[in-house]
Amino acid sequence: MNRTKESVPPSKGSIRRRLLLSLLLGASVLTVGVYFMILSVARQVAQESQDNVLSASAISILDSARYAGGEIIVDLPYSALSMLDSVSDERVFYAIRMEDEFLSGYRDLPEARPDADGRITFRSRPFLGEDVRIATLRRPLSTDVGRQFLQVSVAQTLTGQQQIVTRVSRTSFAVGVGVFALLVLLAGVIARSTIRPLDRLTASVSRRGPEDLRSVTAPVPSEMVPLVASLNRLMGRLKTSLERSEDFIAEAAHRVRTPLAIVRTKAEIIGRKSQDPHTRAAIDEMIHAIDESSRTAGQLLDHAMVTFRLDNLSMERIDLAQLTMNAVERAHPLSEIKGVSITTHSSAPAWIHGDPILLQNALQNLLDNAMKYAPTGTHVKLDIVVAEDTAILCITDDGPGFPQPEFEILTERFSRGPNAKDIVGSGLGLTIVREVMEAHRGEMETKNSSGGGACVRLSFPLA
Ligand SMILES: Nc1ncnc2c1ncn2[C@@H]1O[C@H](COP(=O)(O)OP(=O)(O)OP(=O)(O)O)[C@@H](O)[C@H]1O
Ligand SMILES: [Mg+2]
């Protein structure tokens, strides 16, 4: 079929892909950020809880210290150190000093810098090949030589803290991977649902028949309103210009047909009166040309009417079988003149949604063809069948059939086959049928039956 070549603009990226990538980038940044935040909070919480235990331990050691008989007595409470190594296999160290004099514990244990206000201080340092957390607290003690400061440092290895952090890190990594997978899914859904109105608009516009220039009235997102408004304005302009040309054709056809009818009558009268065979032959040719022009004008008028109605379809629930019988009845006078018998066969009603005037016009064109191109005395068969969700009408004649091999081209405007040479016609009949079928979302197939006759198969979606 000779369609206008579609002009497809070059595509510059995909909105869906861009949206998806942005969402995925956001999701990755969010996941990594949340992962490190959880890790840092876990580290902080683990350290705070270790500091609390170290602090409690240092306080309980200092609480047990007293000065008696010129000596400093520290009853190292069992609970003070047991609370430190109860959780895991931590190693615990301590050091007790009076001013700068070492009293007990690990002499080399580093101390956290003592706080001037007597508050506990903490510090992380390597000790005996391991990282330890040291808490140092000092408290004044009255002795024989006056007020002196007793200082306790308690230290604990960081294994437990690191274990907690590793566990939290693993768990949050697994959760992070899961959340990221969910976000990827979500991003896909969001990207799809954001683009859906655009897809819907594209589908609704591309589903339309070539003559359907109605405005898009379905609601669209606000961002798409300017685009749809421009599209509607463009369609409006196209429709107006199309209507103008259709009106012009209709008017022109009407104005041509009337004088042609007068000329034909006059030519017939002259032909009947003339005895000269040359003159009669010339008059016959003249009449044929007049008939051809008149038919063309009539078909142009019908085509303009069909085009106009395609834009304003008045759809009804119609029984295709009944519609066909009406068309056959209307064609009866002509079929009698041509000596063509027409039979209709349908086993049940075939309900479809259709515009009765357009469908009548299409059927009339097909019957006209069957009677025109099949020789006198032949038979035209119309079969209506319902198959699943489709109503099918087959019109078969037992004439010579469509001229081979290009059936399809015959549905183009003004296209006529070589078999139409001496037969009056304009080449618009099958064009009208094709356009009517497109408007009804039906299909039209032209082929030759096994017996050789032309066969047109029209299928419609059932109502
Ligand atoms: N039943 C048929 N048998 C054989 N050829 C056919 C038949 N119907 C159509 N054709 C061929 O298809 C061509 C196009 O048909 P179409 O109905 O469009 O135009 P037309 O009959 O020539 O003119 P119009 O219908 O406008 O008066 C015809 O010219 C003819 O060659
Ligand atoms: Mg025809």
Side-chain angles (χ1 to χ4, degrees), residues 9 24 27 85 89-90 144 161 182 218-219 230 266 290:
L24 287 183
D85 64 358
D89 286 342
E90 298 284 16
D144 293 345
Q161 191 191 342
L182 262 179
S230 323
K266 300 279 180 205
I290 292 168

Side-chain angles (χ1 to χ4, degrees), residues 8 72 124 144 287 426:
V8 180
I72 293 163
S124 298
D144 293 345
I287 290 173
S426 65

